[in-house]
């Protein structure tokens, strides 16, 4: 098969995969959401789980390389377990239908402490949502007043069983099992923060709790045709071979992978660790 033929085949396989996927929640390995894909298009928003002190002056939130999380996938469920501050956290995100994700956040407190609370922080990028409208939804036929997000200069606290954020291109709706007081803040980080309490106030050693809610994403899907042009007369970069990391993190299984790669692939490059702690000063 000619090289450009292989490229076309890979492209077609990707298209077929996306058509079968339909919708999927995207989440980082440490538990922060990136959004929900619908027919391949990302309805973007972000999230974090945050421990916030009593006066809101300190926020300790899940982020890349800040904790030591464990990620697991079980069918339509993505499960992340981690330690955050003095809490053991289990976060489960389950795709239940197109564009709808069921979120469950469970905690176990490891000490007595007083906080503003443990929150699920829904982060709306300012560039995409600043002209959006937020409203609380009591039922299909009974909606509360609307809030234009870029007009809100002060924090907003709203008790609701559901909230909806709408922009011309995308919509998000969150539904809770019971009336929940959410807090909306605009911090200096280019995000509109919607804080959903897992629990607020005092915590005792060994205390457990959870919150369960759904996130429904929708929006305008760009279905415009895409044109791909391949010019076989122009040679691409020289393919030297495969490369990768050769390191031991799992003494039982890693050597088998390394040996297989070296014995069966044209390995052109390798990277090994030279830790500073072993280098003489």
């Amino acid at each position: 098969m000619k090289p450009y033929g292989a490229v076309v085949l890979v492209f077609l396989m990707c298209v077929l995969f996306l058509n079968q996927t339909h919708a999927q929640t995207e989440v980082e390995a440490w538990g922060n959401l990136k959004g929900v894909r619908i027919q391949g298009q990302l309805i973007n928003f972000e999230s974090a789980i945050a421990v916030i002190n009593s006066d809101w002056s300190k926020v300790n939130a899940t982020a890349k390389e800040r904790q030591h999380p464990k990620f697991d996938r079980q069918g339509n469920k993505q499960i992340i377990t981690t330690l955050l501050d003095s809490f053991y956290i289990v976060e489960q995100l389950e795709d239940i239908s197109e564009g709808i994700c069921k979120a469950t956040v469970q905690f176990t407190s490891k000490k007595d402490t007083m906080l503003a609370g443990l929150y699920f922080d829904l982060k709306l990028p300012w560039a995409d949502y600043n002209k959006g409208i937020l409203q609380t939804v009591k039922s299909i036929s009974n909606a509360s007043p609307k809030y234009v997000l870029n007009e809100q200069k002060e924090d907003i606290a709203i008790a609701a069983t559901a909230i909806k954020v709408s922009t011309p291109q995308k919509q998000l709706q969150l539904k809770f099992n019971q009336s929940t007081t959410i807090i909306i803040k605009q911090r200096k980080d280019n995000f509109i923060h919607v804080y959903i309490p897992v629990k607020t106030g005092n915590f005792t050693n060994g205390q457990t709790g959870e919150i369960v809610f759904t996130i429904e994403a929708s929006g305008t899907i760009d279905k415009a045709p895409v044109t791909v042009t391949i010019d076989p007369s122009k040679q691409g970069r020289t393919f030297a071979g495969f490369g990768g990391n050769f390191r031991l993190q799992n003494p039982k299984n890693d050597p088998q992978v390394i040996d297989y790669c070296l014995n069966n692939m044209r390995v052109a490059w390798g990277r090994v660790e030279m830790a500073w702690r072993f280098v003489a000063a």
Side-chain angles (χ1 to χ4, degrees), residues 39-40 49 58 62 72 101 106 108 119 126 162 178 181 194-195 200 221 233 250 270-271 277 281:
Q39 299 178 31
I49 296 176
K58 181 180 178 181
T62 51
D72 186 27
C101 166
Q106 300 172 324
T108 301
Y119 287 86
W126 175 261
Q178 59 187 5
T181 300
V194 180
Y195 289 102
T200 60
I221 307 302
S233 67
N250 185 321
R271 187 174 74 176
R277 64 182 181 273

Short mmCIF file of all heavy atoms in Angstrom, two decimals, residues 39-40 49 58 62 72 101 106 108 119 126 162 178 181 194-195 200 221 233 250 270-271 277 281:
data_model
loop_
_atom_site.label_atom_id
_atom_site.label_comp_id
_atom_site.label_asym_id
_atom_site.label_seq_id
_atom_site.Cartn_x
_atom_site.Cartn_y
_atom_site.Cartn_z
N GLN A 39 -21.29 13.84 18.57
CA GLN A 39 -21.00 13.62 17.15
C GLN A 39 -19.60 14.14 16.80
O GLN A 39 -19.37 14.71 15.74
CB GLN A 39 -22.06 14.28 16.28
CG GLN A 39 -23.46 13.74 16.53
CD GLN A 39 -24.52 14.43 15.70
OE1 GLN A 39 -24.26 14.88 14.59
NE2 GLN A 39 -25.72 14.53 16.25
N GLY A 40 -18.68 13.94 17.72
CA GLY A 40 -17.30 14.32 17.48
C GLY A 40 -16.94 15.74 17.88
O GLY A 40 -15.76 16.08 17.98
N ILE A 49 -12.39 19.56 41.52
CA ILE A 49 -12.93 19.39 42.88
C ILE A 49 -12.07 20.24 43.79
O ILE A 49 -10.83 20.17 43.73
CB ILE A 49 -12.92 17.92 43.29
CG1 ILE A 49 -13.87 17.13 42.37
CG2 ILE A 49 -13.37 17.76 44.75
CD1 ILE A 49 -13.86 15.65 42.62
N LYS A 58 -8.30 30.70 50.22
CA LYS A 58 -7.43 29.63 49.74
C LYS A 58 -8.28 28.53 49.13
O LYS A 58 -9.24 28.05 49.74
CB LYS A 58 -6.59 29.06 50.90
CG LYS A 58 -5.63 27.96 50.47
CD LYS A 58 -4.83 27.42 51.64
CE LYS A 58 -3.92 26.29 51.20
NZ LYS A 58 -3.14 25.72 52.34
N THR A 62 -8.13 19.98 42.48
CA THR A 62 -7.50 18.94 41.67
C THR A 62 -6.92 19.57 40.41
O THR A 62 -7.52 20.44 39.79
CB THR A 62 -8.52 17.86 41.28
OG1 THR A 62 -9.68 18.49 40.71
CG2 THR A 62 -8.94 17.04 42.49
N ASP A 72 -9.64 4.75 36.32
CA ASP A 72 -10.16 3.45 35.88
C ASP A 72 -11.36 3.68 34.97
O ASP A 72 -12.12 4.63 35.17
CB ASP A 72 -10.57 2.61 37.09
CG ASP A 72 -10.96 1.19 36.70
OD1 ASP A 72 -10.47 0.69 35.68
OD2 ASP A 72 -11.77 0.57 37.43
N CYS A 101 -24.22 13.28 31.12
CA CYS A 101 -23.27 12.62 32.00
C CYS A 101 -23.81 12.65 33.43
O CYS A 101 -24.27 13.69 33.91
CB CYS A 101 -21.92 13.35 31.94
SG CYS A 101 -20.75 12.92 33.26
N GLN A 106 -17.89 11.35 45.84
CA GLN A 106 -17.94 10.83 47.21
C GLN A 106 -16.68 11.25 47.96
O GLN A 106 -15.61 11.36 47.35
CB GLN A 106 -18.04 9.30 47.19
CG GLN A 106 -19.27 8.77 46.47
CD GLN A 106 -19.24 7.26 46.31
OE1 GLN A 106 -18.20 6.67 46.11
NE2 GLN A 106 -20.41 6.63 46.40
N THR A 108 -14.42 10.97 51.91
CA THR A 108 -14.20 10.53 53.28
C THR A 108 -13.22 11.51 53.90
O THR A 108 -12.11 11.70 53.39
CB THR A 108 -13.63 9.11 53.35
OG1 THR A 108 -14.54 8.20 52.71
CG2 THR A 108 -13.42 8.68 54.80
N TYR A 119 -16.25 21.42 47.23
CA TYR A 119 -17.10 21.81 46.10
C TYR A 119 -16.69 21.11 44.81
O TYR A 119 -15.51 20.81 44.60
CB TYR A 119 -17.01 23.33 45.86
CG TYR A 119 -17.72 24.17 46.89
CD1 TYR A 119 -17.07 24.54 48.06
CD2 TYR A 119 -19.03 24.60 46.70
CE1 TYR A 119 -17.70 25.33 49.02
CE2 TYR A 119 -19.67 25.39 47.64
CZ TYR A 119 -19.01 25.75 48.79
OH TYR A 119 -19.64 26.53 49.73
N TRP A 126 -14.38 32.04 30.00
CA TRP A 126 -14.95 33.36 29.80
C TRP A 126 -15.18 33.66 28.32
O TRP A 126 -16.21 34.20 27.92
CB TRP A 126 -14.05 34.42 30.43
CG TRP A 126 -14.50 35.83 30.19
CD1 TRP A 126 -14.05 36.71 29.24
CD2 TRP A 126 -15.53 36.55 30.89
NE1 TRP A 126 -14.71 37.90 29.32
CE2 TRP A 126 -15.62 37.84 30.32
CE3 TRP A 126 -16.37 36.22 31.95
CZ2 TRP A 126 -16.53 38.80 30.78
CZ3 TRP A 126 -17.28 37.18 32.42
CH2 TRP A 126 -17.34 38.45 31.83
N ALA A 162 -32.15 22.70 39.61
CA ALA A 162 -31.52 22.60 38.31
C ALA A 162 -31.12 24.00 37.85
O ALA A 162 -31.77 24.99 38.20
CB ALA A 162 -32.45 21.96 37.29
N GLN A 178 -31.78 17.22 44.87
CA GLN A 178 -32.52 18.06 45.82
C GLN A 178 -32.09 19.51 45.65
O GLN A 178 -31.12 19.79 44.93
CB GLN A 178 -32.25 17.60 47.26
CG GLN A 178 -30.79 17.65 47.64
CD GLN A 178 -30.52 17.04 49.00
OE1 GLN A 178 -31.41 16.51 49.64
NE2 GLN A 178 -29.30 17.14 49.47
N THR A 181 -27.70 24.93 46.96
CA THR A 181 -27.29 26.32 46.85
C THR A 181 -25.94 26.39 46.15
O THR A 181 -24.91 25.98 46.69
CB THR A 181 -27.18 26.98 48.24
OG1 THR A 181 -28.46 26.94 48.89
CG2 THR A 181 -26.73 28.43 48.11
N VAL A 194 -18.81 28.03 38.75
CA VAL A 194 -20.08 27.65 39.36
C VAL A 194 -19.76 26.58 40.40
O VAL A 194 -19.43 25.45 40.07
CB VAL A 194 -21.06 27.11 38.30
CG1 VAL A 194 -22.38 26.71 38.96
CG2 VAL A 194 -21.30 28.14 37.19
N TYR A 195 -19.81 26.97 41.68
CA TYR A 195 -19.43 26.07 42.77
C TYR A 195 -20.65 25.30 43.26
O TYR A 195 -21.62 25.88 43.75
CB TYR A 195 -18.80 26.86 43.92
CG TYR A 195 -17.43 27.41 43.60
CD1 TYR A 195 -17.27 28.76 43.26
CD2 TYR A 195 -16.30 26.60 43.63
CE1 TYR A 195 -16.01 29.28 42.96
CE2 TYR A 195 -15.05 27.11 43.33
CZ TYR A 195 -14.91 28.44 43.00
OH TYR A 195 -13.67 28.94 42.71
N THR A 200 -20.70 21.53 52.96
CA THR A 200 -20.16 22.78 53.48
C THR A 200 -20.00 22.71 54.99
O THR A 200 -20.58 21.84 55.65
CB THR A 200 -21.08 23.97 53.11
OG1 THR A 200 -22.38 23.74 53.69
CG2 THR A 200 -21.23 24.11 51.61
N ILE A 221 -23.90 21.68 16.13
CA ILE A 221 -22.84 20.79 15.65
C ILE A 221 -22.43 21.24 14.24
O ILE A 221 -23.28 21.37 13.35
CB ILE A 221 -23.32 19.33 15.62
CG1 ILE A 221 -23.87 18.92 16.99
CG2 ILE A 221 -22.18 18.41 15.20
CD1 ILE A 221 -22.89 19.06 18.13
N SER A 233 3.44 13.94 -4.58
CA SER A 233 4.69 14.35 -5.22
C SER A 233 5.64 15.05 -4.25
O SER A 233 6.82 15.22 -4.54
CB SER A 233 4.39 15.28 -6.40
OG SER A 233 3.84 16.51 -5.95
N ASN A 250 7.04 -0.37 36.61
CA ASN A 250 6.44 -1.60 37.08
C ASN A 250 7.47 -2.72 36.86
O ASN A 250 7.61 -3.24 35.74
CB ASN A 250 5.15 -1.90 36.29
CG ASN A 250 4.41 -3.11 36.80
OD1 ASN A 250 5.00 -4.12 37.17
ND2 ASN A 250 3.09 -3.02 36.81
N GLY A 270 15.67 6.40 21.99
CA GLY A 270 15.22 6.00 23.31
C GLY A 270 15.53 7.09 24.31
O GLY A 270 16.44 7.91 24.10
N ARG A 271 14.77 7.13 25.37
CA ARG A 271 15.01 8.14 26.42
C ARG A 271 15.08 7.44 27.75
O ARG A 271 14.21 6.64 28.09
CB ARG A 271 13.89 9.18 26.43
CG ARG A 271 14.19 10.34 27.39
CD ARG A 271 13.13 11.41 27.26
NE ARG A 271 11.87 11.02 27.89
CZ ARG A 271 10.82 11.82 27.98
NH1 ARG A 271 10.87 13.03 27.44
NH2 ARG A 271 9.71 11.42 28.56
N ARG A 277 18.87 13.61 41.51
CA ARG A 277 19.24 13.17 42.86
C ARG A 277 20.43 12.22 42.84
O ARG A 277 21.07 11.98 43.89
CB ARG A 277 18.04 12.49 43.55
CG ARG A 277 17.56 11.22 42.89
CD ARG A 277 16.34 10.66 43.62
NE ARG A 277 15.83 9.42 43.06
CZ ARG A 277 14.95 9.39 42.06
NH1 ARG A 277 14.49 10.52 41.56
NH2 ARG A 277 14.53 8.22 41.58
N ALA A 281 26.83 16.83 43.41
CA ALA A 281 26.80 18.29 43.36
C ALA A 281 28.16 18.83 42.93
O ALA A 281 29.20 18.22 43.19
CB ALA A 281 26.43 18.84 44.73
#
